[in-house]
Amino acid sequence: MGISKDDVKRRLHLGEVDADELLELLFHHVGDCESLDDRRLVLPRPASGPALLVLHFTTSGRLADVEPGEALTERQLGEMEELVRRQLVAPPLPRVVRKVLFSTQPNDGYWRFEDRLVLRPLPEGNPRTPWLATTHPLIFECAYPGPEDTRLSLSRGDRIAEGWMSVLGLVVEHLVLPTPGPARGMWATAAFQRPEQSGRPSSEWVHNQFWPDNWGGATGKLGEQGQLGEIPVTDEHTGFARCESPLHLPTCLPHCLHAFDHLDIADRRSFLRAAHWFHHAARVRELSASAAYTAAVQSIEVLVDGQGESTTSAFRAFVDRYAPATSDAMRKRHQSLYRIRSQISHGVRLFVSDLEVHGMANPQRWHEEQLLDHATAVCRAAILNWLVSRTATPTR
């Protein structure tokens, strides 16, 4: 008898281990693949030899089934089984992934969430950020259980860290997530020196991705506080100007992090989709206020359950529940959120700032900036209130 599909699924632990990590591990072990249609991949690609595995996917792109190819042997399946057991089933190792986050306020303090997350300043050996820079980089650390395989461990660490960063970027208004894409230096040498300067040209801040010269900290361990002070946890504004106020974290942050940690798989995927659109709105705001407004409203559309009622009614009910208005004026703006988003999406409307030269005086432009600020605040509140509502009682 040949190798059955049930035997392949059982020995590869399909349904027991993370499907994306299983897929990545198979790609690394077997080699390149080729698409048969929109739901199936064959490993390896036909040009590389006969098929060993045929992978089946859901409409959302998740690995759902595996069947043996015509060339799969007992020896090859045994090698895959041992690889999955060693990398995905065996007890994981303690790992720490380090990322760079940015803050609109300077930071010289340290913050720790349990034994899992750390925020700290750049260690000595990195260039000093200019005082009036629009953003200030800081180190974000995330402890996680990782497999033995380095590539797989890095992939898992990135995925876990990006989930926590999405929460931090939503809860802490002063934090800015890095721009997706390849890492590029954030320091550039000025072409001309200032008259009062001598010696080497000055450095200027370039807002793009940043890769520190020195990350600091021991491999596999969260950074220690040492002589660093605490990042303040307070809901009070601590300075008149942005650059005068050091980074501070809101008191609700631990509650939101605990809530995210306790989400089930479906809710976590929904939350991360909502967070994606919210952060996308912030990134595109300088390019298009209309696109930013659409993305902000879309961030909570992801979470709306419209079964049994119209889309507009379901959306308004969601906003009323998770970000209720406190005045008649606010209620009026709440009610226009979905209508304005639809007008922009269907090509009926474009914000004035996307049509006119920047800086032109126009009362409509000012009004639409207020609408965008309102949409951003409402969607942030609604997403976070939805998040904490998914856990029965907050963890203390």
Side-chain angles (χ1 to χ4, degrees), residues 314-336:
F315 181 88
R316 289 180 175 174
F318 183 92
V319 174
D320 289 343
R321 177 178 179 183
Y322 293 111
T326 57
S327 67
D328 289 340
M330 184 183 293
R331 188 171 298 105
K332 184 177 180 180
R333 286 186 175 177
H334 274 31
Q335 293 174 348
S336 68

Side-chain angles (χ1 to χ4, degrees), residues 33-53:
C33 64
E34 185 170 303
S35 174
L36 296 178
D37 50 44
D38 62 343
R39 298 285 185 86
R40 293 182 300 163
L41 289 177
V42 60
L43 286 171
R45 60 190 313 168
S48 303
L52 299 180
L53 295 172

Side-chain angles (χ1 to χ4, degrees), residues 127-144:
R128 296 290 297 175
T129 308
W131 180 57
L132 292 176
T134 55
T135 57
H136 304 261
L138 62 151
I139 302 294
F140 165 70
E141 299 182 335
C142 173
Y144 70 99

Side-chain angles (χ1 to χ4, degrees), residues 28-312:
H28 291 165
H29 178 73
V30 179
D32 206 354
C33 64
E34 185 170 303
S35 174
L36 296 178
D37 50 44
D38 62 343
R39 298 285 185 86
R40 293 182 300 163
L41 289 177
V42 60
L43 286 171
R45 60 190 313 168
S48 303
L52 299 180
L53 295 172
V54 179
L55 311 178
H56 297 257
F57 295 79
T58 65
T59 53
S60 60
R62 306 288 295 179
L63 179 63
D65 205 358
V66 180
E67 63 176 287
E70 58 185 19
L72 183 65
T73 66
E74 176 62 35
R75 180 185 61 79
Q76 291 167 322
L77 179 58
E79 291 176 354
M80 296 180 196
E81 179 183 15
E82 173 59 21
L83 191 65
V84 172
R85 186 202 63 77
R86 190 172 71 251
Q87 300 297 342
L88 301 181
V89 179
L93 304 171
R95 307 280 195 186
V96 169
V97 61
R98 293 183 170 92
K99 299 282 187 179
V100 173
L101 282 175
F102 303 99
S103 170
T104 57
Q105 297 174 317
N107 172 58
D108 291 319
Y110 178 95
W111 171 85
R112 189 180 185 117
F113 173 68
E114 299 177 344
D115 288 325
R116 309 179 72 176
L117 309 177
V118 159
L119 292 176
R120 58 181 175 86
L122 293 179
E124 293 295 329
N126 287 290
R128 296 290 297 175
T129 308
W131 180 57
L132 292 176
T134 55
T135 57
H136 304 261
L138 62 151
I139 302 294
F140 165 70
E141 299 182 335
C142 173
Y144 70 99
E148 177 186 291
D149 182 81
T150 302
R151 289 179 298 183
L152 197 60
S153 181
L154 290 173
S155 176
R156 180 185 294 183
D158 284 344
R159 187 168 63 251
I160 293 173
E162 287 168 5
W164 288 112
M165 288 164 64
S166 291
V167 187
L168 288 169
L170 269 166
V171 182
V172 186
E173 295 186 44
H174 305 296
L175 289 181
V176 180
L177 301 188
T179 304
R184 293 165 59 187
M186 293 189 72
W187 288 94
T189 302
F192 301 98
Q193 294 180 349
R194 294 181 176 86
E196 69 275 10
Q197 290 180 326
S198 61
R200 293 182 301 174
S202 63
S203 293
E204 291 187 354
W205 186 246
V206 181
H207 186 84
N208 206 317
Q209 285 206 340
F210 172 63
W211 195 261
D213 294 329
N214 172 23
W215 288 88
T219 303
K221 294 183 179 180
L222 293 173
E224 298 294 336
Q225 183 169 357
Q227 300 300 314
L228 296 172
E230 298 277 353
I231 297 178
V233 179
T234 175
D235 295 325
E236 299 295 328
H237 185 63
T238 56
F240 291 105
R242 174 188 57 77
C243 56
E244 295 175 352
S245 177
L247 174 66
H248 59 278
L249 307 175
T251 55
C252 67
L253 179 56
H255 187 182
C256 292
L257 293 173
H258 280 297
F260 174 75
D261 195 33
H262 287 83
L263 291 178
D264 62 28
I265 294 177
D267 281 344
R268 180 169 293 209
R269 288 175 183 163
S270 295
F271 173 84
L272 292 176
R273 286 199 300 271
H276 165 84
W277 287 114
F278 185 87
H279 296 313
H280 180 72
R283 293 187 182 109
V284 302
R285 182 164 182 160
E286 292 185 3
L287 300 175
S288 168
S290 307
Y293 192 97
T294 301
V297 175
Q298 192 162 334
S299 70
I300 55 176
E301 284 188 86
V302 171
L303 306 175
V304 175
D305 182 2
Q307 294 182 356
E309 54 186 327
S310 71
T311 303
T312 304

